[in-house]
Structure formats: C-alpha cells, structure tokens
C-alpha cells in the first residue's frame, strides 16, 4: 500500500508525482501496454481496472541438432538453453481516493500508447458524476454498466481464481482473519451489499442471480444518523469513534429490564433489549463514542438478522458481505459476524472478501471484455505487484487507519492453461493443500520468515550467476532483494496479507519477485549440468538394479527415490554440501539417509501391496532435476511399467528452484529412451505419458492443476498417486486424502522441521496410504 501526501490532487502527472511517495509508474504499472479499461467510482474511492500485455523473459530448452554429426561429444550438455521474450496478459486494479482522480487521469492520458479500445466501462454512482471528466481526459467514451451485475461478476471471478479470497472475522484471534478454502462449486451463495442501503442478492450461476430483498437502513443510515448525533461528517472518523465507544452506556440491556430473572427466560443479560433505550430516561449527556458504537450495533444487528432470515428462507449457508460499509473495518466485521452467528445459532457464516473493494471494477472490466471470454482462463494473483490485505484495526495500525491518501494494488496474471481439481481428491471441498498454517503458528511463522530472510543473499547470488552475459543483472538482483525483503517485512506484521501464510506462499512470492525482475529460471544452468551428469549414470544404475532379486530391488528403488530427493537446491543443508563438495553424488546421498525404521515408515505395507496385482495407472508428481528425476524417478517408473502399470509423469509447467520442468522432462525422457528399451517402448505405445501440472511452484496444490492432466487421470483410471519431495509431500499434501492409493515420500532437509516432526536432518518420510473402504 503506497502512502500519499495529504495535499489535493492538482491536474497533471507532475502533481501526482508530488502528492504520493511511490512513483506513479509503480502504481499504474505497465500502462504503456494497456489495452482496455474499466472504472468503478464510489462515493469516496475510485477503482481503476486495465488489461495489459507484459513482456518478460523465459528460459527455453531444446535438444541439440546432431544432424551431420557421427556421435555426441561426451562433454556436451544434454540440451541447450535460450532466453526468449514472452508476452502474457495481466489485469491491473488500482484503488485510490476520489481526491486524486483528476491527477490520475492526467497521468494515464500522458502514458497511453497501445490502447485497443475507444470505450471505458464504468460503474458505481460516480460514473455519472465524473463521466465528462473521464471522457475529456482519456478521450474514451464512457459506457455505463449496471452496478449489481458488475458486483456479481466480480465476486464470481475472485471466488474462482483466488484460493484464499474469503475469510471469517474472529475478534479475539491473533490475527483476526481466518481464511476459508474455496469450495470447488462456488454457487449458490448470498451477496449482501451494504452501501447507502442494503441489497440482498441470491447468486445461482455465473449468469443467473436475483435481487431477493434489501433495506433502506444501511451504511448511509449509519453515516447520516451518526453525523446528526456526533456532528462528525466523515465516515471513517465515525467508525473511529465507534471503535472507542461503549454501547452499554446508551443501550438498554436485557438485564436492565429483567434484572436477575433473565436467566429463567434463557436469555443472556448482556443482550441488547433496546438500542438507545437508556437515552429516553437518563438525565445525562452521552459521549460521541458511545452513541456511534450503539448506532453501529443497531444497524449491524438489523442487517445481520435480515441476511440470516433470507439465507434460511433460501436454504443458503454462505453469505458474503461487501459494500462501503464493510471496507475491511474490523469494528464493522465484528458486529456483522456477531449478529449473523447469534440469529442463525451458528448455522450461517458471515464471510468477507479480501478484494471486496475491487468487485465492481472487476465486473465492469469483464463486461467490457466479453468478446475475449476472460472466464475461459484461470488467473493467479501476482504477489509481487499486489498490496495484499492490510489490517485496519485502529488499535493495531493507527497510521493505516488514516485512509486519506492510500493507493492499493491488485494484479492478476492470466495462466496459460485452465486449472481444475485433481479428480482423485476424496473431498475437494475440504481439501487444504498446506500442512502448517503460519498465520496461526507464531513460532513456525517467526522461524520460516527468518529462514527466507537469511536465504536471500544466496538467491541474489544465484540469480546474478545465472545471467553472466547481462550488464544489469546485479542491479536487477538488488531490486529483487529489496522487493522480496519488503514483502517479508509486510508478512511479519500482516501475516494474512495474501491469505493464509504458508511455506508455499513464501516460496511462490519469491518466484513472483524473481520473475518481476527478469530472472525466470536462476537454476537453469545448474539443472542442465545436473541432468547431463545423471544421464551418464543412468545405465549403470539400472543395470545394478536389474541384477538384484525382486525384493531387494523394491527397497533399492525406494532408496533411490529418496536419495534422489536429497538433491534439492532450495534446502540450505543440501546446497551448502553441493557447493562445497562437487563430488557429492547419488551414492553419497544414499549414505545420508536415515536407517530404517524411518521417521514415517509404511514400506512393509507397500511391499505387500506390490506382491498383489499391478496398479492400472500411476500418477507421479516429480520434484527435482538431475539425480532425483533421472536416477530416482525413472528407474521407479521403469519398474512400474514392467509390472504392467501405465504411468503419467507430471512435472511443473514453469521453473521453480531446481525442480524439473515439463519441457526439460521431455528431453530427459527422450535421452533415456535412447538408452533403455523399456522406456522407449512405453513412450512409443503411450503407456508412459509426460504431462505438465499447470504450476510453477516448488509445492503442489491439487485443487489447481492443469485441466489436461485431470482429463488424462480420468481417462486412464489412475489408481495410485505418488508425490515426492519436501515441498509437495510435506509442506503440502501431507494430510491430503485421496480416493485411491497414495505414496508420499520425502527426505527432511531442514533441521528445524525435522525436530518438529520428531526426527533429525535427513529423516525419511515414506507414507503409503490406502483409502478406507
């Protein structure tokens, strides 16, 4: 969130420069490539949306062309790497006070280069007020859109594309936000929009919704009556007063009427019997704070009861609240939550949205972009360019409560492929990818944030080293360091900024920041070298395995998988070894492994299962490049194929750390097939299929996987899922329940985590699970 000066807006890009502390081009990012606009103007805030194309570098790999050569050179790498420019789509949303609208429009006008449209979609009450100004400044025709349609479209969009969008508010928790896992089917739900009045809408599908009720008693009532009672004209100041007030000084409670007899009626003595009831009989002045608090309770309770009645009438248990009355204010969320909980006896939940303020702008944009069908794509929040949710508790963050002059940003990147649930999840609606919630666990949060801070020097060094020919690599790496460091500090104070804080979100934020400064794959050269070395060892490893009797071979294959998993450049305990000892290899890694019995050891159960009939099809999520995928995973795949099991090998779509990518796996498989008839025939006959996961993360979210992978899993009838690696099988999915057999295996390469799990460094997790009948 960028703090702004308190001065007025002025009328040019220069005045915008003077009025805010962040450079305008860091707020209106990538404006020169903006193609289409939408705007939502409320009573006090403007939300601007625009679609742009983003050029960034990507590392591409391809096999060498050996035509005309007799043999491959022994020292030659297994493939070549080239860095290319790629164009992707991004949605930008900027929220700012109406005070700045003229200066912002001037800045936008001065920087528009490639816009493809002559129209700007507009919604909100201010769309009428500022229509002439927008048309004059931007030379774009204002096309006004229905407010409620835009809100619904925006709400559907964030619920589908942002995993931790919805949260419940718990006043006594630290932190106060509790994020919900998005239900795979977001419909039906109730949207209660609290603006000047209250609108209650039942949303049944993407395009079908119905206004089912409302009330004239809403945010405008609180503001208007509050102004009359306290002489305070500003909405936020009124909420400030309410947060400091004590409503029991003004309200008549049940115990004030019944005394001790309230217990016989089954009522709590602290219930409000009559809002402002004491003011009729008391001969005293009431404080502004107490009157504001009483008024807030009165209106929130009324809205809560109304919402609850409509939810019950229509058999809905999901109620989302939005509108300027909410705007992330804790005191409002607290009273709404209490009211809903009280009147529904806990059966209906009050849910709030992290990006509630952007719904209208998102919806207006989607309306204007319907010909491009943006809903056919999946979108992902770009943490590097988004402000995140900020606590606006007056007692926690007084500087941020003064909302005058704050710019808030959200960026969404269009993903190349649509993402869906893995069909093998036992219950997609209750699936939570992450094992530890760092928002909740203060000790773990402190450890991991410090861990990522301490690793930053190494990441910067690796990023610079990955681009030796670049003159500005060091400068860009320094900018990356600053940006990621700032994100980590934000998360120390606001751990809920991007939803539930987890090791996965910390890793993903780092990847987003690296991409931001054109370090698409800092480990590309490391992976190239590691893959080359491992390929040379493949035949020797496979020959040694083939020489073992069946039972010995099964244990050796598992140990190979585990030893391969040691080679993780993301783990400091390993990267220190790999950098100091270039000779550290597959056999050395096996010696590092914990002796059996392992920390989690279901190997005996797995061996018994292997003595039974073969699996129909195994889905394997691979982890690291080099030794891991080539000497660990492929021999394991080869054994499954020999048993008559088909194999789907899933690798990341994009780079993260030294994880193997889909494009790298294709080349590796081609090279292995040239050496091994089992792999060769399986690829040719499509019994071995290589697919991409749709992810560019060192962790794994089984609710956001490539649609093509999900289709293949269904078609082939996969009945075994193998997840390997600390990121995919421990930080995420350790508790994931599947409706088929699963194997989760990893080597713990972090001493703090090992100790937490009751083990030591290089302890082994081998978790074989069979679903209950």
């Amino acid at each position: 969130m960028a703090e702004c000066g308190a001065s007025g807006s002025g009328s040019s890009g220069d005045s915008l420069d003077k009025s805010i502390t962040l450079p305008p081009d860091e707020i209106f990012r990538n404006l020169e490539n903006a193609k289409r606009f939408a705007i939502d103007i409320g009573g006090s805030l403007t939300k601007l949306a625009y679609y742009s194309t983003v050029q960034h570098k990507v590392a591409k790999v391809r096999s060498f062309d050996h035509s005309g050569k007799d043999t491959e050179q022994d020292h030659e790498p297994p493939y070549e790497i080239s860095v290319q420019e790629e164009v992707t789509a991004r949605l930008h949303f900027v929220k700012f006070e109406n005070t700045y609208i003229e200066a912002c429009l001037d800045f936008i006008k001065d920087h528009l280069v490639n816009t493809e449209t002559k129209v700007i979609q507009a919604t909100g009450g201010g769309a009428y007020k500022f229509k002439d100004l927008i048309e004059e400044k931007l030379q774009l025709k204002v096309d006004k859109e229905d407010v409620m349609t835009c809100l619904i479209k925006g709400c559907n969009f964030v619920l589908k594309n942002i995993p931790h969008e919805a949260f419940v508010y718990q006043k006594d928790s630290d932190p106060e936000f509790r994020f919900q896992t998005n239900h795979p089917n977001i419909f039906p739900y109730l949207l209660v929009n609290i603006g000047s009045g209250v609108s209650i809408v039942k949303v049944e599908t993407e395009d079908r919704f119905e206004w089912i009720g409302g009330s004239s008693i809403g945010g405008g009532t609180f503001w208007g009556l509050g102004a009359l009672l306290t002489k305070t004209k500003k909405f936020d100041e009124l909420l400030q007063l309410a947060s400091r007030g004590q409503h029991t000084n003004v309200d008549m409670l049940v115990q004030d009427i019944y005394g001790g007899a309230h217990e016989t009626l089954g009522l709590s003595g602290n219930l409000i019997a009559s809002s402002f009831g004491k003011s009729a009989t008391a001969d005293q002045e009431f404080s502004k704070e107490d009157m504001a608090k009483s008024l807030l309770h009165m209106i929130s309770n009324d809205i809560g009861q109304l919402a609850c009645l409509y939810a019950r009438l229509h058999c809905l248990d999901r109620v989302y609240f939005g509108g300027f009355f909410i705007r992330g204010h804790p005191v409002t969320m607290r009273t709404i939550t209490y009211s809903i909980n009280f009147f529904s006896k806990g059966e209906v939940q009050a849910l709030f949205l992290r990006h509630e303020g952007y719904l209208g702008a998102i919806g207006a944009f989607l309306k204007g972009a319907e010909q491009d069908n943006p809903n056919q794509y999946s979108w992902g929040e770009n943490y590097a360019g988004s402000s995140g949710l900020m606590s606006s508790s007056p007692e926690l963050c007084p500087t941020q409560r003064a909302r005058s002059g704050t710019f808030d940003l959200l960026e969404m990147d269009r993903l190349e492929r649509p993402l869906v649930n893995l069909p093998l999840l036992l219950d997609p609606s209750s699936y939570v990818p992450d094992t530890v919630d760092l928002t909740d666990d203060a000790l773990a949060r402190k450890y991991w944030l410090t861990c990522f801070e301490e690793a930053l020097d190494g990441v910067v060094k690796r990023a610079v080293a990955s681009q030796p020919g670049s003159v500005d690599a060091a400068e860009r790496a320094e900018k990356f360091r600053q940006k990621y460091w700032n994100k980590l500090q934000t998360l120390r104070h606001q751990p809920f900024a991007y939803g539930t804080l987890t090791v996965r979100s910390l890793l993903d934020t780092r990847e987003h920041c690296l991409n931001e400064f054109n370090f698409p794959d800092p480990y590309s050269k490391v992976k190239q070298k590691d893959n080359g070395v491992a390929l040379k060892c493949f035949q020797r490893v496979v020959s040694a395995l083939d020489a073992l009797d069946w039972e010995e071979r099964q244990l050796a294959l598992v140990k190979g998988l585990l030893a391969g998993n040691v080679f993780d450049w993301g783990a400091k305990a390993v990267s220190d070894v790999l950098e100091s000892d270039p000779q550290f290899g597959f056999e050395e890694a096996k010696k590092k492994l914990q002796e059996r019995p392992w920390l989690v050891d279901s190997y005996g159960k797995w061996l018994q299962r292997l003595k039974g009939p073969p699996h129909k099809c195994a889905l394997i999520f691979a982890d690291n490049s080099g030794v891991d995928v080539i000497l660990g995973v492929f021999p394991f795949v080869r054994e499954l194929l020999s048993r008559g099991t088909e194999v789907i090998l899933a690798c990341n779509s994009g780079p993260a750390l030294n994880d193997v990518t889909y494009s790298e796996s294709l080349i590796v498989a081609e090279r292995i097939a040239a050496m091994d008839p089992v792999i060769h025939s399986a690829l040719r006959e499509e019994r071995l299929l290589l697919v991409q996961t749709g992810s560019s993360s060192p962790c794994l979210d089984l609710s956001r996987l490539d649609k093509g992978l999900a289709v293949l899993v269904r078609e082939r009838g996969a009945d075994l899922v193998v997840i390997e690696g600390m990121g995919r099988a421990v930080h995420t999915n350790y508790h994931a329940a599947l409706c088929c057999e699963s194997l989760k295996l990893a080597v713990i390469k972090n001493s703090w985590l090992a100790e937490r799990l009751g083990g030591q460094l290089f302890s082994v997790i081998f978790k074989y699970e069979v679903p209950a009948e």
Side-chain angles (χ1 to χ4, degrees):
M1 200 175 265
E3 288 296 327
C4 306
S7 59
S9 67
S11 59
S12 72
D14 287 343
S15 65
L16 184 66
D17 269 319
K18 289 167 190 166
S19 65
I20 61 175
T21 55
L22 256 190
D25 58 356
E26 285 191 32
I27 293 169
F28 300 103
R29 285 157 39 100
N30 213 44
L31 198 57
E32 66 280 5
N33 294 318
K35 308 293 182 193
R36 192 176 283 121
F37 287 86
I39 198 164
D40 173 16
I41 310 174
S44 57
L45 290 174
T46 295
K47 287 78 70 177
L48 178 77
Y50 60 97
Y51 162 92
S52 75
T53 52
V54 182
Q55 259 195 323
H56 57 95
K57 289 184 167 53
V58 291
K60 297 278 188 185
V61 298
R62 67 187 183 99
S63 292
F64 284 110
D65 179 9
H66 287 294
S67 56
K69 285 188 190 178
D70 290 336
T71 55
E72 210 174 294
Q73 298 298 312
D74 191 47
H75 60 272
E76 189 181 76
Y79 51 82
E80 61 180 328
I81 306 165
S82 61
V83 175
Q84 298 172 17
E85 292 284 340
E86 195 169 80
V87 177
T88 56
R90 179 173 285 172
L91 290 178
H92 303 256
F93 302 97
V94 185
K95 184 164 63 177
F96 51 89
E97 290 204 337
N98 289 353
T99 326
Y100 294 97
I101 191 165
E102 194 170 345
C104 288
L105 291 174
D106 276 322
F107 183 81
I108 292 164
K109 178 189 71 177
D110 293 343
H111 291 78
L112 277 187
V113 180
N114 295 318
T115 182
E116 292 173 349
T117 181
K118 297 298 173 196
V119 175
I120 180 169
Q121 261 61 37
T123 187
Y128 298 88
K129 181 180 174 184
F130 291 100
K131 175 179 180 290
D132 293 341
L133 180 69
I134 295 166
E135 291 188 337
E136 177 206 329
K137 294 284 184 188
L138 299 186
Q139 300 295 297
L140 297 174
K141 180 179 175 292
V142 170
D143 194 349
K144 291 191 280 293
E145 299 289 353
D146 174 65
V147 172
M148 196 50 70
T149 303
C150 291
L151 279 174
I152 301 298
K153 280 190 169 292
C155 194
N156 293 343
F157 181 85
V158 295
L159 288 174
K160 282 192 308 185
N161 289 289
I162 303 180
H164 290 152
E165 176 60 30
F167 63 90
V168 295
Y169 185 85
Q170 295 177 347
K171 67 167 185 169
D172 296 321
S173 298
D174 180 23
E176 63 267 41
F177 304 102
R178 284 288 171 272
F179 291 92
Q180 308 294 292
T181 302
N182 283 1
H183 198 284
N185 183 10
I186 64 171
F187 306 109
Y189 65 84
L190 206 64
L191 179 64
V192 180
N193 191 55
I194 314 170
S196 299
V198 179
S199 294
I200 300 177
V201 183
K202 179 185 179 182
V203 185
E204 295 183 89
T205 68
E206 196 68 56
D207 301 305
R208 195 166 81 240
F209 59 88
E210 177 190 3
W211 186 90
I212 57 172
S215 170
S216 61
I217 300 170
T221 317
F222 173 69
W223 200 346
L225 276 177
L228 290 171
L229 288 166
T230 68
K231 308 296 183 239
T232 301
K233 294 291 183 186
K234 289 190 176 175
F235 184 81
D236 283 4
E237 284 179 16
L238 201 54
L239 278 171
Q240 279 273 44
L241 288 174
S243 71
R244 298 195 298 268
Q246 180 53 261
H247 76 98
T248 54
N249 293 334
V250 182
D251 294 341
M252 191 173 285
L253 306 183
V254 166
Q255 66 192 18
D256 296 326
I257 298 174
Y258 294 104
H262 65 83
E263 291 178 6
T264 61
L265 299 169
L267 293 171
S268 163
N270 292 322
L271 282 179
I272 299 170
S274 173
S275 294
F276 288 91
K278 287 178 181 172
S279 60
T281 55
D283 187 20
Q284 67 179 78
E285 288 288 315
F286 294 100
S287 76
K288 291 179 180 182
E289 288 84 356
D290 292 348
M291 288 190 291
K293 186 62 166 279
S294 174
L295 183 61
L296 182 69
H297 275 293
M298 182 178 87
I299 288 166
S300 297
N301 284 336
D302 186 61
I303 294 168
Q305 184 169 29
L306 198 60
C308 185
L309 290 169
Y310 275 110
R312 287 187 146 177
L313 187 64
H314 292 269
C315 304
L316 298 171
D317 59 1
R318 276 177 283 175
V319 184
Y320 297 102
F321 288 87
F324 87 81
F325 184 65
I326 303 292
R327 256 177 68 190
H329 290 286
V331 68
T332 317
M333 293 190 287
R334 188 181 305 162
T335 49
I336 291 276
T337 300
Y338 176 83
S339 174
I340 283 279
N341 196 47
F342 176 78
F343 289 114
S344 75
K345 296 183 171 60
E347 288 174 17
V348 178
Q349 218 172 19
L351 293 160
F352 305 95
L353 299 170
R354 200 153 65 86
H355 298 104
E356 173 272 320
Y358 291 113
L359 301 187
I362 293 171
F365 172 82
L366 293 172
K367 281 286 287 177
E370 279 175 343
Q371 69 269 30
D372 294 335
N373 199 2
N375 276 323
Q376 75 180 335
Y377 299 100
S378 290
W379 299 77
E381 184 175 2
N382 174 31
Y383 297 143
S386 300
S387 309
L389 180 70
M390 296 296 163
S391 171
S392 41
S393 301
E395 61 277 11
L396 289 180
C397 234
T399 53
Q400 282 176 351
R401 286 296 296 116
R403 286 173 173 261
S404 55
T406 53
F407 277 64
D408 192 84
L409 314 174
L410 165 66
E411 291 183 358
M412 301 285 290
D413 283 330
R414 192 177 80 190
L415 308 178
E416 292 310 302
R417 306 164 75 84
L419 303 180
V420 297
N421 276 304
L422 177 69
L424 299 171
L425 282 171
L426 187 62
D427 178 17
S429 63
S430 65
Y431 168 69
V432 177
D434 304 286
T435 307
V436 179
D437 179 350
L438 303 181
T439 325
D440 253 351
D441 191 331
L443 200 67
R445 179 168 75 240
K446 187 180 176 187
Y447 169 77
W448 284 109
L449 285 167
T450 303
C451 191
F452 277 88
E453 284 173 359
E454 289 173 352
L456 198 45
D457 281 347
V459 178
V460 168
K461 191 175 151 192
R462 175 67 55 194
V464 175
S466 71
Q467 297 182 2
S470 170
V471 290
D472 66 342
E475 184 189 337
R476 283 185 289 114
E478 204 45 51
K479 286 180 179 173
F480 152 74
R481 180 208 298 277
Q482 199 54 54
K483 180 147 224 170
Y484 189 53
W485 175 267
N486 290 342
K487 293 284 177 194
L488 292 174
Q489 302 326 301
T490 296
L491 290 166
R492 274 199 188 278
H493 299 107
Q494 314 272 6
F496 42 76
Y498 299 104
T500 302
L501 182 65
T502 61
V503 173
R504 174 168 64 106
S505 68
L506 289 170
L507 286 162
D508 290 350
T509 304
R510 188 168 72 185
E511 293 299 324
H512 291 187
C513 291
L514 280 165
N515 279 315
E516 182 78 12
F517 295 103
N518 274 323
F519 294 106
D521 192 357
Y523 289 86
S524 56
K525 300 269 197 315
V526 172
K527 290 186 290 180
Q528 182 192 42
K529 179 173 173 259
D530 289 351
N531 284 332
V533 169
L535 281 166
K536 291 188 178 78
C537 304
F538 178 78
Q539 282 176 299
R540 178 174 53 77
V541 167
V542 165
S543 298
L545 286 165
D546 288 346
L548 299 172
D549 66 41
W550 183 85
E551 197 156 316
E552 276 185 309
R553 186 163 70 250
Q554 304 319 306
L555 182 58
L557 283 162
V558 164
K559 283 186 173 177
L561 265 177
L562 293 165
N565 193 243
V566 168
F567 291 82
D568 179 356
W569 281 88
K572 192 173 185 301
V574 176
S575 60
D576 286 352
V577 171
L578 295 175
E579 282 179 340
S580 61
D581 181 6
Q583 301 307 310
F584 186 85
F586 192 43
E587 295 308 318
E588 287 76 12
K590 285 182 191 172
K591 291 171 189 162
K592 286 270 185 192
L593 296 178
Q594 174 192 12
E595 292 292 326
R596 289 195 67 203
W598 296 320
L599 184 60
V600 176
D601 195 335
S602 315
Y603 177 73
K605 195 171 151 193
W606 170 248
L607 187 66
Q608 281 305 114
R609 171 62 187 87
L610 289 179
K611 291 174 180 173
H615 296 90
K616 187 174 190 299
C617 176
L619 167 62
I620 300 177
F621 290 98
D623 188 7
N624 305 305
S625 283
V627 172
D628 193 356
V629 71
I630 294 165
L631 304 185
V633 173
F634 265 98
F636 186 78
V637 165
R638 188 173 170 271
E639 183 75 13
L640 289 174
L641 291 166
S642 301
R643 281 171 57 78
T645 301
E646 292 182 345
V647 176
I648 301 167
L649 182 60
C651 301
N652 268 9
S653 297
L657 297 171
N658 67 316
D659 293 4
V660 63
T661 63
Y662 168 67
S663 53
E664 288 160 354
S665 74
L666 292 176
I667 295 172
V668 163
E670 177 194 313
R671 295 290 300 276
I672 289 174
M675 298 184 263
D676 188 85
V678 177
I679 299 296
H680 184 270
S681 62
L683 283 170
R684 193 184 65 241
E685 295 159 14
E686 296 189 347
R687 289 181 295 110
L688 170 58
L689 297 150
L690 276 61
V691 296
Q692 52 186 312
T693 61
S695 168
S696 300
S697 168
C699 297
L700 180 64
D701 181 352
L702 297 175
S703 68
R704 283 172 71 80
L705 288 177
D706 187 276
K707 193 174 181 179
L709 167 57
V711 168
L712 200 55
V713 162
R714 275 202 190 92
E715 285 176 355
R716 296 294 172 116
D719 53 355
L720 171 66
V721 175
V722 181
I723 306 175
E724 65 130 0
M726 206 162 78
R728 290 169 181 77
V730 180
H731 290 313
T732 51
N733 299 306
Y734 190 72
H735 301 302
L738 302 174
C739 57
C740 68
E741 293 171 50
S742 64
L743 195 53
K744 299 165 189 173
L745 60 155
V747 177
I748 309 298
K749 293 150 293 198
N750 175 284
S751 51
W752 183 89
L753 181 61
E755 198 175 314
R756 260 228 164 174
L757 294 170
Q760 297 174 322
L761 201 59
F762 300 111
S763 286
V764 168
I765 303 285
F766 188 92
K767 195 178 186 189
Y768 170 60
E769 294 173 301
V770 181
E773 288 298 326

